[in-house]
Amino acid sequence: MKKIMDMQAAGNLIADYPGIPLGEPERQLAFMDKCRELVKQKEEAAGRPMTAAVINFGCQMNARDAEKLRGILKKIGYIITEEETADFVLYNTCTVRDNANQKVYGRLGYQKSFKKQNPEMTVALCGCMMQEPEVIEKIKKSYRFVDIIFGTHNVYKLAELLYAHLTSKSMIIDIWKDTTMSVETLPVDRKYSFKSGVNIMYGCNNFCSYCIVPYVRGRERSRTPEEILAECRRLADEGIVEVMLLGQNVNSYGKNLENPISFAELLKEIEKIDGIKRIRFMTSHPKDLSDELIQTMKESKKICRHLHLPLQSGSSRVLKEMNRRYDKEKYLALAAKIRQEIPDISLTTDIIVGFPGETEEDFEETLDVVRKVRYDSAFTFIYSKRTGTPAAAMENQIPDEVSKERFGRLLDLVQQIAAEECGRLTGQTEEVLVETTSNHEGMVSGRLSNNTVVHLPGTEAMIGTFVRVRLDEAKGFYYIGTPVEE
Ligand code: SAH
Ligand code: SF4
Ligand code: F3S
C-alpha cells in the first residue's frame, strides 16, 4: 500500500535535499527545475507533452491562488488545460458551505476511475477544505489514490511537494496551521491579460458565528503597502489595467501593520499608478466601512462605482447572534449615506437564510432591507452548518423545508429588484472594459465601472480595451449596447 509522508511530522525534509537553497523564493525555483527534469522524462516515455489542470471551487482568493499554482505548473513544463483527465490534476477546494465540500468528494469519485486508466497521473488536493483535520482523515482512509495534499498557507510550495511525491511515490501531506510567510513573487499564470487580483491581506479575525473561513485561512494579516504597490506597478508594466484588491475584510486593512495605514490611504496610493485605470476591491465588512473610504471613492477617478456590502441578515437580533457587529439600522444608515455621497454606485450583497433560530419575523426584516437598499444583485445562500463554528452548536437549527421556502421568496424579490435597477442606465453612453468574446458570433462582452455586464458588437482584438458604449437595451442583468465614436 502507498506510504504516507506527513511533511509536518517529517520536519520539512530539508536535510534530504543537499544543494537546494533554504531561502524563498530561490528554494521553490530550484525545485521547479528539478521537477522539470522529471516531467521531461515522463514526456519522453509517453511521447507527448504532459498536461495539468487546476480545478477551482472557491472564492476570488482561491482563484488567485489557482493562478499561482498554474504559474508553477507551467514553469515545470506542463501544458495547462481544464480537462480533469490531465496528467496532473489539482483540486483547489472550498469549504464555506457543505455543498462545496460534497462537490469535491464527487469529483474524487470520478478521479478514481481516471487514475485506473492512467496510473501515471498525479492527483492533488489543496485549499480551504484541506485545513480541516476530519477531511484529511477521510482522504487517508477512503481516497488513498490521492498523491499530494496541502493547505491554504503553503500554496507556494507546490514544486517542492510535487518533487517529494515524484521521487518517493508516497502520499505527501503538508498542512500548516498558520503562517507568517507570504511568497508572492513566484511565476503566475494569469487568466486575463488585462486584469488581475491582488491580495492585500490574508485570513480573517471576525469569527462570524456561522463562518469557517477564520479557521481555515488563519488570522488576519495585511501585506505592507510597499509590497502591494510594487506588485501593482509590476502588473501595470505588464499591461494590466484593472486590479481587484482582495481580502476577507478590506476595510480593516493595515490596522495591525508596524506602520498602520488605512485602506483608503492605500487606495489613494494605487490611484497614482499610471497604467492602472480601474480599481475594484472585495469584500467590505459593513462594521469597518469608514467615512474616509466613502470620500476617497467619491473623489476617485479610478475606483469603480461598485460596493459589495454583505448584509447576511436584516434582523438585528440575528445579526447579533451572527456576531456581525452592526444592526439593521446601522446598515441601512450606512447604505443611505453611501448612496447620498456616490449616487451612481451599485450596491451588491450576500445574504444567508435559515440561520439557527431565524423566525418568520426575522426573515421579513431581511426582505425589508432588500426592498429599502435595492441591490443590483445579491448572492443568496441557505445556511450551512460548519463543524467547529459556534452556530453549529446552536439549538433551533431551521428545518430544510423552511429555509428553502424562504430562500425562494428572497430570490424572487432580489431578482425582481435587480432587473429594475439594472435598467437605470438605458440610453446613456458609458465606458466598457471589454473582457471576452461572447457566445454570439461577432459580439464581445465587457463590464461597466459598476460591474454590470454589457454585450456589444466587436472582435477579439478589442479584449482589454476601453470602449464608449451606448446602452441600448437592458435585459434583466445585462445590457446590449453599441460602440460610439466621440
Ligand atoms: N468575508 C466576506 C465573506 C466571505 S464568505 C464577508 O464577511 O463579507 C462569502 C459568503 O458566504 C458570506 O458573505 C456568507 O454570506 C456566505 N457564508 C459564509 N458561511 C456560510 C455558511 N455557513 N452558510 C451559508 N453561507 C455562508
Ligand atoms: Fe467569514 Fe465573517 Fe470573516 Fe467574512 S468577515 S470571512 S463572513 S468570519
Ligand atoms: Fe471558500 Fe476558502 Fe474562499 S472556504 S469562500 S475558498 S476563503
Side-chain angles (χ1 to χ4, degrees):
M1 201 162 160
K2 190 156 134 194
K3 260 190 7 195
I4 296 182
M5 220 150 88
D6 187 324
M7 303 290 265
Q8 290 310 297
N12 227 357
L13 295 187
I14 282 172
D16 294 351
Y17 301 113
I20 296 274
L22 293 181
E24 299 295 3
E26 295 75 16
R27 181 172 174 83
Q28 296 312 313
L29 291 168
F31 276 115
M32 285 178 217
D33 287 344
K34 288 205 157 282
C35 286
R36 175 77 201 112
E37 285 163 28
L38 297 177
V39 168
K40 246 189 208 149
Q41 289 169 15
K42 282 179 178 275
E43 286 167 8
E44 275 157 23
R48 59 174 178 85
M50 290 288 113
T51 56
V54 180
I55 314 288
N56 220 44
F57 291 91
C59 61
Q60 309 249 10
M61 309 255 170
N62 257 33
R64 179 70 184 147
D65 286 344
E67 293 187 340
K68 297 180 194 167
L69 294 161
R70 287 192 197 100
I72 295 171
L73 291 168
K74 213 167 159 180
K75 176 97 184 169
I76 291 173
Y78 284 103
I79 308 285
I80 305 297
T81 79
E82 309 215 326
E83 303 297 324
E84 284 174 66
T85 48
D87 298 293
F88 181 101
V89 180
L90 172 56
Y91 291 103
N92 188 17
T93 63
C94 170
T95 186
V96 74
R97 284 169 292 277
D98 189 51
N99 52 5
N101 237 275
Q102 291 312 320
K103 255 191 235 163
V104 172
Y105 289 124
R107 303 294 259 279
L108 282 177
Y110 280 118
Q111 273 310 328
K112 202 169 187 166
S113 60
F114 296 149
K115 200 156 177 174
K116 270 206 185 107
Q117 287 161 22
N118 177 8
E120 280 292 300
M121 87 184 279
T122 307
V123 178
L125 289 164
C126 68
C128 294
M129 199 174 144
M130 300 305 123
Q131 296 291 138
E132 294 180 90
E134 317 80 80
V135 170
I136 303 297
E137 286 316 309
K138 183 163 170 172
I139 293 166
K140 280 205 262 192
K141 211 164 121 217
S142 311
Y143 300 90
R144 202 57 179 250
F145 61 90
V146 170
D147 301 303
I148 304 170
I149 305 175
F150 55 105
T152 54
H153 303 297
N154 52 352
V155 162
Y156 72 91
K157 252 184 99 175
L158 171 61
E160 178 166 351
L161 302 176
L162 178 60
Y163 187 73
H165 167 68
L166 291 175
T167 50
S168 71
K169 303 282 179 222
S170 309
M171 179 194 251
I172 306 290
I173 304 181
D174 194 12
I175 309 289
W176 298 4
K177 285 210 163 53
D178 216 331
T179 184
T180 50
M181 295 256 304
S182 82
V183 183
E184 291 277 355
T185 47
L186 288 171
V188 175
D189 181 36
R190 277 198 307 270
K191 189 166 173 204
Y192 299 99
S193 59
F194 55 89
K195 66 171 183 178
S196 176
V198 174
N199 289 321
I200 64 166
M201 58 210 296
Y202 310 96
C204 183
N205 282 352
N206 288 311
F207 290 95
C208 301
S209 63
Y210 50 82
C211 184
I212 199 164
V213 170
Y215 305 89
V216 295
R217 286 266 168 186
R219 290 296 65 72
E220 183 182 297
R221 278 187 305 129
S222 296
R223 288 175 76 198
T224 64
E226 292 77 20
E227 247 183 81
I228 296 167
L229 288 166
E231 182 170 342
C232 290
R233 281 191 205 104
R234 206 162 51 234
L235 290 169
D237 287 344
E238 291 169 17
I240 294 291
V241 291
E242 176 179 308
V243 288
M244 165 76 98
L245 309 178
L246 299 172
Q248 294 298 351
N249 176 14
V250 293
N251 296 329
S252 74
Y253 169 78
K255 289 186 179 156
N256 298 322
L257 284 171
E258 214 170 274
N259 300 310
I261 161 174
S262 70
F263 179 53
E265 285 167 321
L266 177 73
L267 284 169
K268 284 184 197 155
E269 289 303 312
I270 298 177
E271 176 117 10
K272 291 181 194 155
I273 301 174
D274 268 347
I276 303 293
K277 305 278 190 252
R278 276 186 176 178
I279 306 170
R280 299 187 185 277
F281 54 83
M282 198 154 204
T283 294
S284 268
H285 194 305
K287 82 177 162 70
D288 295 313
L289 200 145
S290 65
D291 288 347
E292 186 198 12
L293 176 66
I294 299 175
Q295 283 313 309
T296 305
M297 287 184 83
K298 183 177 173 176
E299 288 157 18
S300 167
K301 297 260 178 311
K302 296 185 177 177
I303 303 173
C304 288
R305 289 326 198 214
H306 173 212
L307 195 60
H308 188 66
L309 197 61
L311 169 68
Q312 312 303 2
S313 168
S315 152
S316 296
R317 192 191 65 77
V318 172
L319 285 168
K320 193 152 198 278
E321 295 283 307
M322 286 178 161
N323 192 29
R324 288 291 287 181
R325 284 171 277 179
Y326 53 84
D327 59 15
K328 181 185 180 189
E329 284 62 41
K330 197 171 157 209
Y331 186 97
L332 285 174
L334 179 62
K337 181 157 66 180
I338 295 166
R339 286 229 192 268
Q340 192 191 347
E341 294 297 315
I342 317 169
D344 57 344
I345 198 133
S346 142
L347 291 177
T348 60
T349 201
D350 293 347
I351 299 170
I352 299 175
V353 296
F355 181 83
E358 184 189 71
T359 62
E360 178 59 27
E361 289 70 39
D362 291 322
F363 176 65
E364 294 282 342
E365 301 272 11
T366 299
L367 295 179
D368 187 46
V369 175
V370 171
R371 278 190 207 103
K372 290 194 165 116
V373 177
R374 299 188 61 79
Y375 298 103
D376 274 62
S377 77
F379 294 108
T380 49
F381 306 107
I382 290 182
Y383 166 75
S384 171
K385 196 171 170 178
R386 308 315 290 132
T387 312
T389 61
M394 288 178 187
E395 286 168 13
N396 310 324
Q397 300 282 329
I398 304 293
D400 260 7
E401 318 81 76
V402 176
S403 297
K404 282 191 183 137
E405 194 270 336
R406 286 180 192 162
F407 182 82
R409 277 151 68 200
L410 174 65
L411 196 63
D412 285 346
L413 180 65
V414 158
Q415 287 181 343
Q416 177 209 324
I417 292 174
E420 290 165 15
E421 282 301 313
C422 166
R424 70 182 180 273
L425 298 174
T426 309
Q428 296 189 22
T429 296
E430 296 280 334
E431 191 155 72
V432 171
L433 172 57
V434 179
E435 301 198 333
T436 55
T437 51
S438 123
N439 295 334
H440 295 280
E441 183 76 26
M443 299 286 281
V444 292
S445 310
R447 280 175 197 274
L448 299 176
S449 167
N450 78 7
N451 212 32
T452 308
V453 170
V454 181
H455 300 291
L456 57 141
T459 61
E460 205 174 338
M462 286 158 71
I463 291 175
T465 64
F466 288 94
V467 185
R468 304 276 304 163
V469 178
R470 195 182 60 236
L471 305 173
D472 299 323
E473 201 185 337
K475 295 261 196 186
F477 304 102
Y478 61 91
Y479 287 100
I480 306 281
T482 320
V484 292
E485 301 286 336
E486 280 176 325

